[in-house]
Amino acid sequence: MKYLTEFRDGAIAQKLAAEIRQMTTRHWAIMEVCGGQTHSIMRNGIDQLLPSEIELIHGPGCPVCVTPLEMIDKALAIAALPNVIFCSFGDMLRVPGSDRDLFRVKSEGGDVRVVYSPLDAVQLAVQHPTKQVVFFGIGFETTAPANAMAVHLAKKQGLTNFSMLVSHVLVPPAIDAIMRSPTNRVQAFLAAGHVNSVMGFWQYPPLASQHRVPIVITGFEPLDVLEGIRRCVRQLEAGEHEVENAYERVVTFDGNRAAQALLEEVFAESDRAWRGIGVIPRSGWKLSDAYADYDAENRFDVSDIHTHESPECRSGEVLQGAIKPTDCPAFGKQCTPRTPFGATMVSSEGACAAYFNYGRVVQLERVRVRVHA
Amino acid sequence: MCLAVPGKIVEISDDGMVRMAKLDFGGIQKQVCLAYLPDAVVGDYAIVHVGFAISRIDEASAQETLRHFRELGLLEEELGEIPDDEYAPPPPCPVTYQ
Amino acid sequence: MDEWACPLPLRDYPTVVLGHGGGGQLSAELVEHLFRPALGGDDPPPLTDSTVLTLPGTRIACSTDSFVVKPLVFPGGSIGTLAVHGTVNDLAMSGATPLYLTAGFILEEGLPMATLARIVSDMGRAAREAGVRIVTGDTKVVERGKGDGVYINTAGIGVVAANVDIAPRRAQVGDVVLLSGTIGDHGMAIMSLREGLEFDTTIQSDSAALHTMVAALLAAAPDVHVMRDPTRGGVASSLNEIAQDAQVGIQIHEERVPVRQEVRSACELLGLDPLFVANEGKMLAIVPAAQADAALAAMRAHRLGGNAAIIGEVVADHPGMLVERTTIGARRVITMQIGEQLPRIC
């Protein structure tokens, strides 16, 4: 694939890694905010090319990981209703709610369908006029334009049987919250290139200067991730804290104006709960008043569903880099990819699942000793 | 967070509701919503996420980035810095064992 | 279905009805006018409830497999071709020469007779091409809504030569891992027909019978230790199972694993890993290093093995685990999937 394969070149990756090794003089903790970059790091083993002084912290940028338990429980309740076709991206099906997941609801007779695009859900609403079609609108700023367009087109077509359960979260407030945390260890950020392709990066300079933290926008292929890390390290070593765009082929300062315009119309800023982290003020979007009729939370009475997260799951601290997965007492014991407490163990890119799978290589006994210590 | 892949616009259409396009992703063609790229034309490359083209790919920037990567090779020779045994397995994840 | 003309008296029944499984006249007509001509060879056997077979040699391989697939017909095959190839390949992977198959059908009331005819004619053709005979069968019909059109179970019987000993536990350190061709073709062919995942491009299933390739492989490399056809769960699951059974480590190299361009692209688009995607006409072989070149040459000389490759080796490290060398020279552990791979956005 053009513009993909070129950025996976092994020889250049080795050179970039050598460059990073050469310029690193001390320990630096860099957070990749985005789950897509976490996936790439794990999938390609990028972290193994880095000098031991560079610590990568896997951030909260995985919508699967941060969708609050309460929202999952609402999704499960709606999906279990007769006459509802519940549509979701594949990622969400295995995420555990309080007592089950969407797969379980499906096995118990709920009509749960995986779609590639929210427009597929709108299409289903057209094809099934007697059914209520509900789309689980999760995601960050990258996914929001697609979800906004789905609601917009449903309204334009006068569909009365389409609604969306919205759980949109935003990157800049998350960066801000992480930097304000008293336990923060993050010294530089890799920003999520695809979020910035929509939003641009005009929101980022104030964050970088206020928290004196380098922010490098980059892509997802091995060379993009390594180049992002290289630029973070360069800034850290030089004591700088600028916003840099290492993903110029896709990201512009202004971002996608057409998408931003529709986001403005369809969504309104709101406080959002992040799974494991808690409420971050003005860190998400809900449907605006003009589109309130399409809000599944209004259409189906799920307002009495209130869920508290398991105190045993410390995924929030993991997502913020405060602790490592192996520091959690439940890690690898009660909590495994087969019996996950929280989404960081469900999502194969979740930090906990990644550590669990890699931990099998590096002798779990040693990890265990460390947990008990 | 956001799986998005590059594709080439091969055909632009309008289904009466919204601007659509057929994109080619390395031998796979798929219909994609083009509403957010009003200026895109056939032959352009775009990044696609969940069925939506969200950003044009700037070919000149892409070439520039690749050129910069290739130059690293020259730089490395000057520094005489050759990576160690490239298969020496470093610790698989940044866990420290004290 | 163009070549199929509905024979009398099936013409009165454009769809399957409950009576076709009732054991009466309708059942008999279905067998007589559809199954027997389609599944039989030049001299169709009577497809009775039981058949007496004469087997050469004394070592017998036996296998059973059930087939459920949506859609029933797809580019490159149908549930009928899978039902033959799947069981033939299971037998072949134990080093057996497949000889006979049985066929059990569970039909759903309302299944178009033309679809059923297409499926059984595919089955008959696949069996004839593979040189196996379908010797006994059974049909049941379930009420509408209680089945996905048709489920098929096939059991197979084959014979194994005296000197052949093929089993997962035989994988040993120093062996090499061969793969007979591109991966993910079947799984992506099916995936790309799912509602909402449609492409404007057709991906063909690789459904095929592998026993002739196995014969060529065993002739060239008699010491083959393990063979496996990586169907559901793909190459990753098969190699994980072998690593666990033999308690050895298996290492593969990302850039050596052949994947068709369009399959790779489809996987990129949906966020899937081709290593976990199903194949229906590919095999893995684990052979001693000394016979690797001969084995590879034998695979490549076969019409189904043009893209065969040595993808990795059995190692002393990480026993019980599969590790991949990625294109950038790092390692990743490849674990078994917990469930089915789903398209992801993140």
Side-chain angles (χ1 to χ4, degrees), chain C residues 6-37:
Chain C
C6 190
L8 282 164
L10 294 178
R11 200 168 295 168
D12 302 340
Y13 293 96
T15 60
V16 169
V17 296
L18 281 173
H20 282 122
Q25 267 196 31
L26 288 179
S27 294
E29 283 166 5
L30 190 65
V31 171
E32 200 50 39
H33 295 286
L34 181 56
F35 289 170
R36 200 160 164 260

Side-chain angles (χ1 to χ4, degrees), chain C residues 200-215:
Chain C
D200 299 351
T201 314
T202 303
I203 298 178
Q204 294 275 331
S205 166
D206 59 352
S207 182
L210 296 163
H211 59 303
T212 55
M213 184 190 286
V214 169

Side-chain angles (χ1 to χ4, degrees), chain C residues 59 91-98 159-167 170 178 210-228 283-288 291 294-299 302:
Chain C
R59 296 180 81 208
L91 290 169
M93 292 307 126
S94 64
T97 305
V159 290
V160 190
N163 58 341
V164 172
D165 180 14
I166 286 164
R170 294 199 62 213
L178 282 85
L210 296 163
H211 59 303
T212 55
M213 184 190 286
V214 169
L217 177 68
L218 290 174
D223 281 346
V224 171
H225 288 159
V226 190
M227 294 191 287
R228 182 68 63 90
M283 64 177 290
L284 289 157
I286 295 184
V287 304
Q291 296 186 358
L296 182 64
M299 275 188 177
H302 191 276

Side-chain angles (χ1 to χ4, degrees), chain A residues 1 4 8-10 13-14 35-36 39 42-46 48-49 62-64 89-91 93-94 103 113-116 120 124 127 138-139 143 222 337-338 349 357-358 360-361, chain C residues 194-198 240 244 254 261 264-266 268-271 273 318 320-321 323-346:
Chain A
M1 267 175 137
L4 215 58
R8 295 177 179 176
D9 184 292
Q14 294 284 348
H39 177 86
M42 293 296 162
R43 162 71 185 74
N44 295 289
I46 293 168
Q48 296 161 39
L49 302 189
C62 163
V64 183
F89 296 126
D91 314 51
L93 265 71
R94 248 189 289 274
F103 268 119
R113 305 190 191 187
V114 172
V115 294
Y116 164 72
D120 299 329
L124 281 170
Q127 289 163 358
I138 58 144
T143 316
R338 290 198 63 150
E349 280 65 70
N357 291 333
Y358 279 81
R360 295 173 57 224
V361 193
Chain C
R194 273 197 194 171
E195 186 178 47
L197 299 179
E198 301 92 346
N240 257 303
Q244 282 162 27
E254 185 177 5
Q261 164 83 6
R264 190 182 294 284
S265 299
E268 293 282 356
L269 210 58
L270 301 176
D273 186 336
H318 51 79
M321 291 174 59
V323 169
E324 180 184 69
R325 286 282 179 197
T326 67
T327 48
I328 63 169
R331 304 202 298 175
R332 77 163 159 147
V333 180
I334 299 178
T335 51
M336 294 277 253
Q337 292 269 319
I338 291 173
E340 188 199 8
Q341 267 200 124
L342 294 167
R344 59 183 180 88
I345 63 158
C346 123

Side-chain angles (χ1 to χ4, degrees), chain B residues 35-89:
Chain B
Y36 293 126
L37 296 182
D39 304 330
V41 295
V42 168
D44 282 354
Y45 278 81
I47 287 275
V48 173
H49 173 69
V50 299
F52 283 75
I54 52 172
S55 178
R56 275 189 61 246
I57 296 179
D58 185 83
E59 308 214 24
S61 296
Q63 294 309 335
E64 185 54 41
T65 304
L66 287 169
R67 195 164 33 248
H68 155 75
F69 287 148
R70 285 190 204 102
E71 282 165 4
L72 279 175
L74 301 172
L75 192 66
E76 182 201 276
E77 279 164 16
E78 282 171 23
L79 300 166
E81 175 70 29
I82 304 289
D84 317 322
D85 171 18
E86 61 174 26
Y87 274 174

Side-chain angles (χ1 to χ4, degrees), chain A residues 48-240:
Chain A
Q48 296 161 39
L49 302 189
L50 300 173
S52 55
E53 294 89 348
I54 301 293
E55 178 188 0
L56 293 179
I57 296 176
H58 311 309
C62 163
V64 183
C65 296
V66 300
T67 302
L69 193 57
E70 189 167 288
M71 192 56 85
I72 309 271
D73 283 348
K74 286 177 179 178
L76 296 168
I78 293 170
L81 293 170
N83 212 38
V84 163
I85 300 176
F86 192 86
C87 302
S88 167
F89 296 126
D91 314 51
M92 298 304 290
L93 265 71
R94 248 189 289 274
V95 181
S98 293
D99 57 355
R100 53 190 176 158
D101 58 20
L102 282 167
F103 268 119
R104 174 75 63 84
V105 170
K106 187 172 188 294
S107 74
E108 289 165 356
D111 191 344
V112 177
R113 305 190 191 187
V114 172
V115 294
Y116 164 72
S117 167
L119 292 188
D120 299 329
V122 176
Q123 203 50 46
L124 281 170
V126 173
Q127 289 163 358
H128 300 276
T130 62
K131 299 266 188 186
Q132 282 290 333
V133 175
V134 182
F135 180 72
F136 200 177
I138 58 144
F140 279 80
E141 295 97 320
T142 319
T143 316
N147 295 348
M149 183 62 76
V151 179
H152 176 74
L153 290 178
K155 187 174 182 176
K156 197 168 162 183
Q157 294 174 72
L159 290 177
T160 54
N161 65 328
F162 177 85
S163 61
M164 194 176 284
L165 186 62
V166 178
S167 184
H168 270 304
V169 280
L170 310 174
V171 169
I175 291 182
D176 188 55
I178 288 164
M179 289 310 294
R180 287 178 192 283
S181 162
T183 54
N184 173 54
R185 300 194 303 112
V186 179
Q187 294 163 295
F189 285 95
L190 291 181
H194 291 147
V195 162
N196 299 99
S197 74
V198 172
M199 301 305 290
F201 55 97
W202 45 270
Q203 297 163 297
Y204 289 60
L207 282 171
S209 60
Q210 187 187 347
H211 297 296
R212 304 184 63 79
V213 65
I215 302 178
V216 179
I217 295 149
T218 194
F220 300 79
E221 298 312 315
L223 299 193
D224 292 317
V225 174
L226 283 162
E227 173 66 2
I229 294 168
R230 191 188 70 85
R231 294 197 192 192
C232 280
V233 173
R234 192 203 61 73
Q235 282 202 48
L236 288 165
E237 292 281 350
E240 296 171 13

Side-chain angles (χ1 to χ4, degrees), chain C residues 107-180:
Chain C
L107 309 177
E108 184 187 5
E109 187 185 21
L111 173 73
M113 199 56 84
T115 307
L116 179 60
R118 156 79 198 259
I119 289 165
V120 293
S121 76
D122 280 355
M123 267 183 98
R125 187 170 345 110
R128 284 188 293 278
E129 283 171 4
V132 295
R133 294 180 62 197
I134 298 172
V135 290
T136 180
D138 175 59
T139 308
K140 296 286 185 290
V141 179
V142 296
E143 286 173 15
R144 195 183 182 97
K146 298 287 166 65
D148 278 327
V150 54
Y151 302 132
I152 303 177
N153 170 277
T154 49
I157 292 175
V159 290
V160 190
N163 58 341
V164 172
D165 180 14
I166 286 164
R169 57 174 167 72
R170 294 199 62 213
Q172 45 190 270
V173 174
D175 285 356
V176 298
V177 181
L178 282 85
L179 171 65
S180 68

